[in-house]
Amino acid sequence: SAMANVTYDQLWKEGMVELLDQLEVNEPAAEDRSVPQDDPQRFQHNATLYIRYLQIVRKLEEAYDQIVHPQKRIDIKKTLVSVMGRVLEIKDTLIMINRDISKVNREEALTDMSAVNLDEVLVDLKLDPSVLEVPVPRYFVEDREDMEMREKLLDTYTLQFNLKDGSKEDEDD
């Protein structure tokens, strides 16, 4: 319905505005080299970035899933892929900071260094732990279905044109 399209367009716009705010306000501080690697404030900053970007991913993913306009979907997907990449970069940074803090505090290495505790940050931001659930983009399923269709089509052509190793048999150049 037209009303739903307006709602999901709005969700997309909100996601994009939040993304631009993130890039403008929060990103420069992350690159501040004067802050020690093991500074708890650096962890707090990156944990906040991580959560904010996850919230943006969720909005963009929902908009992508519900909007039917093909060009908008292409644009949203490009942004979504970029933001998910940023989420992974920040997660890596959090893991590194976690390791550095452990070394400084002479703590035994945690068995799973990829587990990052964000409880305090959630409390500070007054957010529910559910915001940490990483959504699996629904386009993954669509892309997989597309790949399966392409493979079936390729198999059909291969049989139909008697192709082996991607080249037509007995063909002169």
Side-chain angles (χ1 to χ4, degrees):
S1 73
M3 192 62 204
N5 283 343
V6 170
T7 304
Y8 293 111
D9 273 352
Q10 187 59 39
L11 195 61
W12 178 26
K13 284 188 184 100
E14 283 174 19
M16 293 304 292
V17 167
E18 287 174 26
L19 177 58
L20 292 171
D21 287 349
Q22 275 303 113
L23 294 171
E24 250 175 54
V25 176
N26 288 314
E27 286 295 330
E31 300 308 313
D32 185 358
R33 298 281 173 242
S34 65
V35 178
Q37 291 290 320
D38 59 344
D39 188 324
Q41 282 185 317
R42 193 162 172 268
F43 181 87
Q44 180 86 11
H45 171 78
N46 279 281
T48 303
L49 281 180
Y50 178 78
I51 292 167
R52 294 286 185 230
Y53 276 115
L54 266 182
Q55 290 174 311
I56 293 167
V57 164
R58 203 169 279 107
K59 277 188 181 169
L60 292 175
E61 206 286 317
E62 181 73 15
Y64 175 85
D65 187 56
Q66 299 298 324
I67 288 176
V68 291
H69 188 286
Q71 189 58 49
K72 287 180 183 177
R73 285 174 62 89
I74 289 169
D75 292 343
I76 295 171
K77 185 176 176 180
K78 283 180 188 170
T79 307
L80 189 53
V81 168
S82 298
V83 176
M84 289 188 316
R86 188 70 187 110
V87 166
L88 293 174
E89 287 173 358
I90 296 168
K91 174 91 190 237
D92 270 356
T93 303
L94 287 171
I95 292 167
M96 295 301 290
I97 295 170
N98 222 13
R99 283 190 185 132
D100 293 340
I101 290 172
S102 299
K103 283 179 197 165
V104 168
N105 296 337
R106 304 250 186 279
E107 294 169 6
E108 284 303 309
L110 300 171
T111 48
D112 182 12
M113 287 308 268
S114 63
V116 177
N117 187 346
L118 301 175
D119 293 349
E120 287 177 34
V121 181
L122 287 174
V123 171
D124 290 348
L125 297 174
K126 297 172 180 61
L127 292 172
D128 190 79
S130 66
V131 300
L132 295 178
E133 291 169 19
V134 180
V136 175
R138 284 163 263 212
Y139 73 77
F140 279 7
V141 176
E142 291 169 12
D143 287 356
R144 189 176 309 124
E145 288 168 1
D146 285 350
M147 284 300 295
E148 287 169 6
M149 283 292 290
R150 278 188 217 127
E151 284 173 16
K152 283 179 186 167
L153 194 59
L154 195 59
D155 289 345
T156 306
Y157 286 149
T158 303
L159 289 171
Q160 190 175 344
F161 295 108
N162 200 17
L163 297 176
K164 288 181 187 150
D165 302 329
S167 62
K168 196 164 184 175
E169 281 194 284
D170 302 328
E171 187 171 351
D172 298 322
D173 286 329

